[in-house]
Amino acid sequence: MAKRPPDPANGNAPVARQVPMRDFSRSLPMSLLRAREAVMRQFRPKLREHGLTEQQWRILRALAAIEAAEVTELARTAFLLGPSLSRILRDLEARNLIERRTAKSDQRRSMVSISKDGVKLMASVAPSSEAIYAEITQRFGARKLAELQEMLGELEQSLAGLGAADGASAEE
């Protein structure tokens, strides 16, 4: 007797076949997460050598690019949720890597900037970071990497304002 294929009407088909969605391996969010993980796997060991998490490094990188930032703006810039950012800032401040002060325009708001110690730490991490970037560029190709970054920027711009995104990482 020939075996009959699963019949979704009888409830004996695999659940994945019952959901009209693209294959999980072709999910854009999952593809982006896999690529992010592949990249971050290169950086994490060097960050750990300097006692940094990737989120702490993200904050230091963001602050190094500007003079100072209001905490909520820093959360948006670094794609971190407020509670996570508060904990990270507390840890960075305890290590004297950042400085906090009250905003002159509004005493309830806090401004954050990178400290001299933070700049020194970044300077010690920078050569390793740049070597990793060079290796990624060598393996993937400078032209392809530039195209990827341009395409990701275009994707971000094309989706701006679409949906109710809060701008924070759900991974935190």
Side-chain angles (χ1 to χ4, degrees):
M1 179 173 184
K3 187 174 181 182
R4 282 194 250 160
D7 181 4
N10 293 335
N12 64 356
V15 173
R17 301 289 181 228
Q18 295 176 9
V19 180
M21 294 179 73
R22 73 186 66 238
D23 188 76
F24 184 69
S25 67
R26 301 296 300 162
S27 159
L28 179 59
M30 290 308 301
S31 294
L32 292 169
L33 283 170
R34 283 191 303 271
R36 178 189 184 279
E37 182 57 30
V39 170
M40 289 311 301
R41 215 177 2 254
Q42 310 308 307
F43 288 94
R44 280 188 198 111
K46 289 298 177 185
L47 293 176
R48 275 192 218 112
E49 285 178 19
H50 294 277
L52 291 168
T53 66
E54 61 190 84
Q55 294 85 4
Q56 290 171 333
W57 180 244
R58 203 180 322 162
I59 294 297
L60 292 175
R61 292 267 297 156
L63 290 173
I66 54 176
E67 188 174 319
E70 198 271 322
V71 173
T72 54
E73 179 59 30
L74 185 57
R76 274 192 299 276
T77 300
F79 288 89
L80 291 165
L81 297 173
S84 294
L85 179 62
S86 294
R87 177 183 39 79
I88 294 164
L89 292 178
R90 193 171 47 250
D91 294 345
L92 292 173
E93 192 172 26
R95 292 177 60 187
N96 296 315
L97 299 175
I98 63 162
E99 297 170 348
R100 275 200 246 207
R101 66 182 186 285
T102 304
K104 292 176 185 172
S105 61
D106 185 345
Q107 299 294 308
R108 297 168 296 176
R109 296 172 62 186
S110 180
M111 299 297 292
V112 182
S113 59
I114 192 166
S115 69
K116 288 180 183 176
D117 287 347
V119 171
K120 285 180 192 172
L121 178 60
M122 287 194 69
S124 69
V125 176
S128 301
S129 180
E130 288 304 311
I132 293 166
Y133 271 109
E135 178 67 19
I136 291 169
T137 302
Q138 188 269 324
R139 286 176 174 256
F140 192 64
R143 187 186 98 265
K144 283 172 54 178
L145 188 57
E147 288 172 2
L148 175 62
Q149 289 182 308
E150 185 175 323
M151 287 173 36
L152 289 170
E154 289 172 8
L155 176 62
E156 183 180 2
Q157 288 298 314
S158 71
L159 298 178
L162 182 65
D166 67 2
S169 170
E171 298 174 70
E172 301 304 321

